[in-house]
Every structure is written in structure tokens, then in C-alpha cells.
């Protein structure tokens, strides 16, 4: 065996040279890996005894892509193109041997090999779009030449990982090797192609599939139209489509030029920087500095839920979906029946939509037990309380749980705003108490805020994070404070939105600006969707706020056909003249001199206080790191991924600019805009939010 460099070896098995890469964790195409490929293949080419070459990886995966940490830094060592040219122009067949995932640049390397062999569990994909990129090493030009433009479009715009069997059917893989015997299989395959004198198949020379699609612009129009909503605001999907169009309409070398140009634009742009930030943030968020990896985990085999309302039912589904038995407790039979009925209906709807077979509905419902007796929760390992948002009710429930549930179990609350330290005073084992703040609808939304109280044990925290992962959530560990991280930041935006419509804007102005910024909807459309009467009390309402007045007029949101907007029978929103007049009257009553408010002001007043609040949360230690706040806002509130979350957006704008605006607003509008001490510090020290 010859060492080519620290991460590459060359070994000969008869006439076959095996070039092996070993660069944990994922064999990403860092400078040493590119160098290893280039020199390893070259050495094999130069060796007259070698008849064919196998390129294979050690560890859990084939090359999983370019090294994302290298983007934005000065290039080092041989380029990926050099490595690919060495492979593609080799005078001897090169076979890629794929296990794990061949992704992005990894698949692009495999596409320059003359043949590809994979184990059945392997997957291939071009997921660059999820990083705000496109495959920039010939992937957009080579892939459609094998699988055809339609399939290629699907792969590059979704980033999906395609299983090896499917790859074999599509021609992306030439042969499957036996699971666990990739090297043997690939070497045998290499010997076979040498014996059969098979040609050096270059994907770049295949033209039949792309030529067949020439003059059919509808292929591209269709994918744009079908995904208009999903792609809104993102640059990368459109650029990926343009590259496949180029593959269809231009010769290979011209197509590569288009790919290069568009790749360069994306890789140097703010969207991809944001999406790469999110990629790492999603991985960082699981890392808890003061909870060691060997913290004992509490086995969770049975879950109890209290309250079968909106949240309790949705929460239960998460556990049923992964095969964990759930007992759900209500106070009255009709509430229980209603709750169980909603869960069943949700499952039946999913089955009707083809998400899973009908039998699955019964299987999941079979794991669910309804009860009116809290004693049935005695043997649960995890109990989640989702009763009314009222401290006395919650304390009463926890007091009872303390007497009923076995020692060692986790006692969680889904409260959205109550003080969990106070809830924990109701039990004799406060170390067992934690907040598991699900977002509505709890079976759909990916975010889970795991709220650690003063006395929560590390074991309870570690188990909660692990269980979150098991049910497919992305969990952020946060501390106890009003609204925790997500809603605390939301409160800033909501306050400003309300002030803005008094001072001169209309609800639809505010909504339009925030929608155009990339949020799924603006605050007023959101209120209409949720219902304006949440927390509103008909008896006590005296027209003091705009919301009171709307509710009193029975304009309680979409469900009553009117709220801030008027709705037609298809729930399409239209600005409401009634509301416009109400706002003008209300402002006049309060003696507010309305003025014209610019779109810039709307955006800055809604978003900068959010960033400022994020800084306060960080200085108080209520979030571990600034990127965790981004994760909360992207996954819980639909903050546009291509802006990287509120804190990353703050860095994009510049902390100094955010601070200057906050000061300017503070001078004219008061202490709602008081800059956080950390914001001042970040600017004084020339740092970024992402440094914290
Ligand atoms: N570059 C640098 N680091 C990477 C990386 C990459 N391409 N892919 C993964 N990593 C790191 C992760 O950050 C993580 O680091 P950590 O342990 O310090 O947190 C570690 O590798 C392990 O990753 P995961 O925790 O994600 O491991 P999994 O086993 O869950 O998943 C994976 C493995 C499916 C390969 C997943 O990591 C993944 O999807 N990676 C990104 C793949 C990708 O997007 N490739 C395209 C890159 S862009 C490109 O190739 C451009 C080209 O066209 C020119
Ligand atoms: P809900 O009113 O829909 O459901 C509460 C259910 O709890 C009712 O069915 C009620 O009968 C039951 N209940 C009340 N006391 C009980 C008791 N002692 N024992 C058993 N069951 C009891 O309320 P929702 O919306 O599900 O909220 C529940 C909790 O989740 C609240 O703390 C809320 O703040 C929180 N939350 C709500 C979100 C939402 O969007 N609705 C989002 C995140 C958290």
C-alpha cells in the first residue's frame, strides 16, 4: 500500500489500483482530498501494470460533497476540476465505488468516473440547492445526460437523495455490489470491464437524452409553475433550472460555462452564505456545552399526555408516529372523544392523501389509550402536560402527577409563557420538570423549544433532546423567560406592527412588506388565521383596543369571514374599508397624527427590535448561541431560510447599522428601542452576532 498523502492510499489488487480516501467525518472534498484524488489517479495511470482504477472511501460514506467550510476562503491545492479532469481523461477505466452518500461534489466526481458501482444502501444526490447553491462541478451538465432533464430537474431543485436501486434503474449506477462487500464488488466489476474491453464511457459525451428535450420549453415552465410558492424568494432553484436548460440547449462546454457563472454568483451571494450558516446551525443546536455526551439517558418507552385539546392531540401524534405508546388523559368524556376523534381524522386524511396505507391508521391508533384517570399515567417515562394556560391549573396538575407518576420519569409542560420554575415548585422532584414547548400544529411544526428550568437535571435535558430527535423535531435548548426565545422575540414584532398601523400604515402595508421580506405571512394575516378572539373576553371587552373592536363586530378572523381583512368564500383576503375607517377613527380618538410610513421603516421597526431582543436573550444566557435563535425563528415562525434567521440577518445588515437605527428610533419613539448591552458591545468590539 502506498500513501499518496495523509488522507489517500493506493493499493493494487492484481491489475486493479484501488485509490482510497479517508477524511472523516464525510470525506468532503477538502484540499487534501482533491490532491489525493489527483495524485492517486495519476500514479495509477502511470503504473503500466494497472489496467483499471477503483475510487473508494473509508468511513461511513463516499464523498458527501465539497467542503462547505472552504467556501469564501482563498482556494488551495488542486481544484476540483483538476481532480475530475484527471479521472475523466484517464486512459484506463475509473470506477467509483459508492457507499453511504455520494452527494454534491461527491456525485460530480463519481460522474466523471467511467463507471459507478454502489451497495444497495447507498444514496446519490445533488443537494446544493439546500445550501443556496447549484452543483458547480459539472453536475448540472452531466446528470441530465444520464437521467434525462426531467429527473435531473427534480433532483437539483429538491436536493433529494436517491437510493441505489433507483439509481441503477436510472442508469446513474451501473451495478450493485453486495452490501458490506463494496470493495470486492467494485474490483470484480473493474476486472470484468477490462476483460470485456468495455469503452471509457464519458458522461459528457452522451447527448441523446438532452437532445430529445430540445425545443420543449414546457419542461422548464412546468417545474417553475408547480413550485412557484416553494421557490418564492430563493435564487438557487431558478439558477439550477437555468443550468439544466443550458444542458439541454447548449454543447457541453458552453453549458459548463453557464454553470460556472451562475455558481460563482450564488457562492459569493448572501443567500448561500445564509443557507450554509443554517446547515451548520442545525447541527450546532444539538450541542450542549454543559451537558456531557455521556449524560445518562432515561429510557422512554411510554408517554403520557394531559389534555387532548389542540396541542395535546398534536403532541400525541408525534410519539404514535414513531411507535411509542401514548396514554392521553382528559377531564371529561366528551373532550376526550373529541380529542381522539381529531387524531383519527388527521391520520385518515394523511392515508387518503397516500402518505401511508390505511392499516397504518389503525396501527397508530392502536398505540393510543384515552383515559379520564390520571392514575393511568403511573408507569409513563415521560408525561407532557398540555392543559389550559393557567398557573393554578398547571400547578394542580403537577401536584397530582408528583404523587402518581413513577420516580425517574420526566414531567414536562407545554406552557407557552408561564414560569416553569414556578410550576416546578408544585412537585417534590423539580429536577424532573422541563418545558417541551411544541408549536402549533404540533404534529407538523419542526421546532421544539426545550426549556430548562433552574433545577432541571442534565439527564432530563439530554433525554428531552434525544426524544426530540427521535420524533423528527429540531430542538433548541432555551432558558425560562417570558415567551422563552421564540415568542419573546415575536412580541417585539407584534408590538411594532400594532404601533405602525396607528401611526400611519395599514395592516396590508405591514403584511406586504414582511411577506416580501420572505415571511410566510404578515402579522395581521396571521392574526386573522389564528383567530382574533384567542384570549379575548366578550364580557370584559370594552372597545379599548382595535382587537376588542374587531371582535365586538364579530370580525374575529378568517373563521368569521372577516378580521383585519375581508375574506371571500375561498378565503382570499382583501383590504377592508371598514377596518381602514376603524383605524383612522381610533387614531383620531387617541390624538395620533398619522403620517406616511415608508416600507423601509416598516421593515426596520419590525425586524431590528427582534434582533435586539435576540441580543438581550444572549446576554441573559437564555439561548446558548446566536445561531440557536436563528433555528427557532426559521423552524417555528417561517423566517426565510435564505436570510439565515434574524441574528444572521443582523450580521448581513451589519450590527452597527442595526444599532444606529435602534438609537435613532429610541430618540424619537422611546425605550421600546433601547439597544441591548450586547448589541453595543458587538459594535464596539467590531464583532458579529454569530460570534456569540
Ligand atoms: N463539508 C464540510 N463539513 C461537512 C459536510 C461538507 N460537505 N457535510 C457534513 N459535514 C460535517 C457536519 O457539519 C458535521 O460536523 P460536526 O460533526 O462537526 O457537526 C459532520 O460532517 C457530520 O455531518 P452530519 O451530522 O450531518 O452527519 P449525518 O451522518 O447525519 O449526515 C450527510 C451525513 C448526509 C453527508 C450530511 O452531513 C449532509 O447532508 N452533508 C451535506 C451534503 C451536501 O450538501 N453536499 C453538497 C456540498 S456543496 C457542493 O458539493 C458544491 C459542489 O457542487 C461544487
Ligand atoms: P386547548 O384548550 O385546546 O386544550 C386544553 C385541554 O386540556 C382541553 O381539552 C381541556 O379539557 C384539557 N384540560 C384542562 N384541564 C385539564 C386537567 N386538569 N386534566 C386533563 N385535561 C385538562 O388548549 P391548547 O391550545 O391545546 O393549549 C394547551 C397548552 O399548550 C397551553 O398551556 C398553551 O399555552 C400551550 N400552547 C398552545 C399553543 C397553541 O397554539 N394553541 C402553542 C404552544 C403551546
Amino acid at each position: 500500500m502506498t500513501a499518496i498523502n495523509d488522507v489517500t492510499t493506493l493499493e493494487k489488487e492484481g491489475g486493479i489500483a484501488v485509490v482510497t480516501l479517508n477524511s472523516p467525518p464525510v470525506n468532503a472534498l477538502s484540499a487534501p482530498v482533491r490532491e489525493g484524488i489527483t495524485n492517486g489517479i495519476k500514479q495509477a495511470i502511470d503504473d503500466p501494470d494497472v489496467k483499471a482504477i477503483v475510487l473508494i472511501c473509508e468511513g461511513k460514506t463516499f464523498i458527501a460533497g465539497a467542503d462547505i467550510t472552504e467556501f469564501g476562503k482563498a482556494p488551495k491545492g488542486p481544484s476540483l476540476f483538476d481532480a475530475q479532469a484527471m479521472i475523466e481523461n484517464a486512459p484506463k477505466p475509473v470506477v467509483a465505488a459508492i457507499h453511504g452518500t455520494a452527494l454534491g461534489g461527491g456525485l460530480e466526481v463519481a460522474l466523471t468516473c467511467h463507471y459507478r458501482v454502489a451497495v444497495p444502501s447507498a444514496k446519490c444526490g445533488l443537494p446544493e440547492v439546500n445550501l443556496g447553491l447549484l452543483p458547480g462541478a459539472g453536475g448540472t451538465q452531466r446528470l441530465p445526460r444520464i437521467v434525462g432533464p426531467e429527473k435531473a430537474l427534480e433532483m437539483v431543485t429538491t436536493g433529494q437523495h436517491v437510493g441505489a436501486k433507483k439509481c441503477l434503474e436510472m442508469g446513474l449506477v451501473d451495478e450493485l455490489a453486495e452490501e458490506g462487500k463494496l470493495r470486492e464488488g467494485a474490483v470484480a466489476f473493474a476486472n470484468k470491464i477490462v476483460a470485456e474491453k468495455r469503452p471509457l464511457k464519458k458522461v459528457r459525451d452522451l447527448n441523446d437524452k438532452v437532445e430529445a428535450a430540445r425545443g420543449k420549453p414546457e419542461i422548464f415552465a412546468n417545474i417553475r409553475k408547480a413550485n412557484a410558492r416553494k421557490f418564492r424568494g430563493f435564487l438557487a432553484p431558478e439558477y439550477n433550472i437555468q443550468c439544466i436548460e443550458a444542458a439541454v440547449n447548449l454543447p457541453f462546454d458552453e453549458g459548463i460555462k453557464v454553470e460556472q457563472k451562475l455558481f460563482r454568483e450564488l457562492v459569493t451571494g448572501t443567500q448561500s452564505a445564509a443557507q450554509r450558516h443554517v446547515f451548520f446551525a442545525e447541527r450546532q443546536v444539538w450541542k450542549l456545552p454543559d451537558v456531557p455526551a455521556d449524560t445518562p439517558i432515561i429510557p422512554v418507552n411510554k408517554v403520557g399526555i394531559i389534555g387532548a385539546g389542540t396541542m395535546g392531540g398534536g403532541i400525541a401524534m408525534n410519539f404514535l408516529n414513531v411507535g411509542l405508546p401514548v396514554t392521553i388523559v382528559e377531564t371529561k368524556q366528551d373532550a376526550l372523544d373529541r380529542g381522539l376523534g381529531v387524531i383519527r381524522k388527521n391520520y385518515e386524511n394523511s392515508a387518503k392523501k397516500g402518505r401511508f396505507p390505511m392499516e397504518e391508521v389503525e396501527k397508530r391508533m392502536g398505540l393510543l389509550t384515552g383515559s379520564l384517570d390520571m392514575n393511568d399515567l403511573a408507569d409513563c417515562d415521560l408525561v407532557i402536560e398540555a392543559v389550559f394556560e393557567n398557573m393554578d391549573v398547571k400547578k394542580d396538575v403537577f401536584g397530582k402527577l408528583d404523587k402518581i407518576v413513577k420516580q425517574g420519569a420526566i414531567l414536562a409542560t407545554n406552557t407557552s409563557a408561564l414560569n416553569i420554575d414556578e410550576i416546578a415548585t408544585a412537585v417534590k422532584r423539580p429536577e424532573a420538570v422541563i418545558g417541551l414547548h411544541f408549536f402549533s400544529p404540533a404534529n407538523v411544526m419542526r421546532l421544539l423549544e426545550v426549556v430548562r428550568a433552574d433545577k432541571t437535571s442534565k439527564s432530563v435535558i439530554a433525554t428531552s433532546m434525544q426524544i426530540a430527535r427521535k420524533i423528527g423535531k429540531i430542538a433548541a435548548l432555551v432558558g425560562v423567560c417570558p415567551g422563552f426565545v421564540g415568542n419573546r422575540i415575536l412580541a417585539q414584532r407584534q408590538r411594532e406592527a400594532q404601533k405602525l398601523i396607528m401611526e400611519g400604515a395599514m395592516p396590508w402595508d405591514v403584511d406586504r412588506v414582511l411577506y416580501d421580506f420572505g415571511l410566510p405571512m404578515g402579522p395581521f394575516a396571521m392574526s386573522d388565521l389564528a383567530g382574533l378572539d384567542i384570549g379575548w373576553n366578550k364580557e370584559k371587552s370594552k372597545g379599548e383596543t382595535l382587537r376588542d373592536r374587531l371582535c365586538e363586530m364579530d370580525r374575529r378572523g378568517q373563521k368569521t369571514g372577516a378580521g383585519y381583512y375581508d375574506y371571500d368564500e375561498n378565503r382570499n383576503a382583501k383590504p377592508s374599508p371598514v377596518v381602514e375607517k376603524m383605524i383612522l377613527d381610533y387614531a383620531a380618538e387617541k390624538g395620533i397624527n398619522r403620517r406616511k410610513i415608508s416600507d423601509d421603516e416598516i421593515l426596520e421597526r419590525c425586524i431590528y427590535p427582534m434582533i435586539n431582543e435576540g441580543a438581550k436573550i444572549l446576554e441573559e444566557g437564555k439561548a446558548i448561541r446566536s445561531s440557536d435563535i436563528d433555528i427557532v425563528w426559521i423552524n417555528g415562525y417561517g423566517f426565510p431560510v435564505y436570510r439565515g434567521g434574524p441574528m444572521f440577518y443582523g450580521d448581513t445588515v451589519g450590527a452597527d447599522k442595526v444599532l444606529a437605527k435602534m438609537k435613532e428610533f429610541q430618540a424619537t419613539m422611546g425605550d421600546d428601542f433601547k439597544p441591548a448591552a450586547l448589541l453595543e458591545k458587538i459594535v464596539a468590539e467590531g464583532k458579529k452576532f454569530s460570534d456569540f
Side-chain angles (χ1 to χ4, degrees), residues 25-26 60 64 66-68 105 108 127-128 131 135-136 279-280 283 287:
V26 296
K60 65 178 184 176
D67 184 343
I68 306 169
E108 292 175 296
E128 284 86 345
L131 298 169
F279 176 86
F280 289 112
R283 284 156 180 81
K287 295 175 187 163

Side-chain angles (χ1 to χ4, degrees), residues 493 510-519 522-523 603 606-607:
R493 187 192 80 186
V510 177
D511 282 356
R512 173 182 45 79
V513 169
L514 291 175
Y515 179 81
D516 289 348
F517 178 75
L519 284 153
L603 190 68
C606 288
I607 306 283

Side-chain angles (χ1 to χ4, degrees), residues 285-286 288 291 295-300 319 381-384 408-413 431-438 448-453 456-478:
V285 75
W286 298 100
L288 314 178
V291 182
T295 304
I297 297 291
I298 302 161
V300 175
F319 296 99
D381 307 296
L382 163 67
V383 178
I384 304 172
I410 300 176
L411 306 180
T413 171
E431 70 283 357
V433 177
I434 195 162
L436 293 182
H437 184 213
F438 288 82
L448 181 68
E449 279 184 329
V450 174
V451 194
R452 88 192 281 175
T456 311
S457 77
K458 292 190 177 174
S459 179
V460 165
I461 294 172
T463 307
S464 298
M465 296 299 281
Q466 199 190 63
I467 200 92
R469 211 191 260 274
K470 180 162 178 179
I471 60 175
K473 300 290 178 200
I474 183 151
L477 183 65
V478 303

Side-chain angles (χ1 to χ4, degrees), residues 544-564:
E544 277 162 13
T545 63
L546 194 63
R547 196 253 308 244
D548 286 350
R549 295 183 187 187
L550 288 164
C551 288
E552 284 163 21
M553 286 177 73
D554 213 29
R555 296 185 70 100
R556 289 185 284 128
Q558 281 198 19
K559 60 188 171 189
T560 57
Y564 286 103

Side-chain angles (χ1 to χ4, degrees), residues 67-348:
D67 184 343
I68 306 169
T69 59
E70 276 188 359
F71 291 142
K73 297 186 186 148
K76 265 198 317 210
S79 75
L80 185 48
F81 282 102
D82 296 337
Q84 287 178 302
M86 187 61 77
I87 296 172
E88 195 167 49
N89 300 327
K92 307 169 180 179
V94 184
V95 178
I98 302 171
H99 76 296
T101 45
L103 299 177
L107 181 58
E108 292 175 296
V109 165
L111 282 167
T112 53
C113 294
H114 307 106
Y115 295 93
R116 287 155 296 279
V117 172
V119 286
S121 62
K123 292 195 171 88
C124 296
L126 293 175
E128 284 86 345
V129 70
N130 297 324
L131 298 169
L133 293 172
L134 55 86
T140 66
Q141 304 306 298
R142 288 192 180 87
L143 184 68
R145 285 180 154 76
I146 295 190
V147 306
E150 283 97 340
K151 190 72 208 157
L153 278 169
E154 192 185 326
M155 285 178 71
V156 297
T157 56
T158 61
Q160 65 185 213
H161 300 179
V162 180
K165 286 187 191 131
K166 190 89 204 290
C167 290
L168 183 69
E169 283 165 27
M170 297 193 303
L172 194 49
V173 160
D174 299 286
E175 192 170 279
L176 292 187
E178 198 180 319
E179 197 68 56
K181 294 203 172 143
L182 179 60
R183 181 169 165 148
E184 296 91 314
V187 168
F189 180 84
N191 274 314
K192 186 169 73 179
I193 55 175
V194 171
E196 291 175 4
K197 298 200 171 49
R198 286 214 217 159
L200 297 174
K201 225 170 58 182
K202 287 189 189 176
V203 176
R204 55 173 288 153
D205 294 338
L206 306 172
N207 283 319
D208 52 331
K209 291 212 165 107
V210 285
E211 275 168 11
R214 224 163 265 173
K216 294 185 183 160
E218 64 277 11
I219 298 175
F220 305 100
N222 289 346
I223 188 154
R224 288 188 172 103
K225 193 160 163 235
N227 293 286
R229 245 181 81 181
K230 196 173 137 207
F231 296 165
R232 181 175 76 94
F234 287 93
L235 287 177
E238 171 57 28
Y239 281 28
N240 271 280
I241 296 172
Q242 287 180 19
C243 285
I244 307 287
E245 264 178 318
V248 165
N249 295 319
L250 300 173
F252 183 85
D253 288 326
E254 293 302 309
I256 286 284
K257 283 187 198 151
V258 173
E259 184 190 88
Q260 278 296 291
K261 176 176 171 287
L262 296 180
F263 179 81
R264 224 171 293 124
E265 217 178 289
L266 289 178
V267 81
T268 52
T270 51
Q271 287 207 354
S272 175
Q275 289 179 254
R276 286 177 340 243
H277 160 77
V278 174
F279 176 86
F280 289 112
E282 281 178 347
R283 284 156 180 81
Q284 281 283 97
V285 75
W286 298 100
K287 295 175 187 163
L288 314 178
D290 73 330
V291 182
D294 59 356
T295 304
I297 297 291
I298 302 161
V300 175
N301 296 313
K302 186 178 171 193
V303 179
I305 290 172
I306 314 177
T310 311
M311 294 307 288
I315 294 170
M317 290 175 74
N318 287 296
F319 296 99
L320 302 174
N321 294 349
V322 297
L324 275 175
V326 173
T327 297
I328 192 159
V329 175
E330 259 291 345
T331 44
K332 296 211 176 66
Q333 190 65 45
D334 60 338
L336 182 60
D337 291 345
R338 206 177 328 116
L340 298 181
V342 171
I343 297 177
R344 172 175 286 281
K345 196 145 191 68
N346 282 341
Y347 279 143
E348 284 173 355

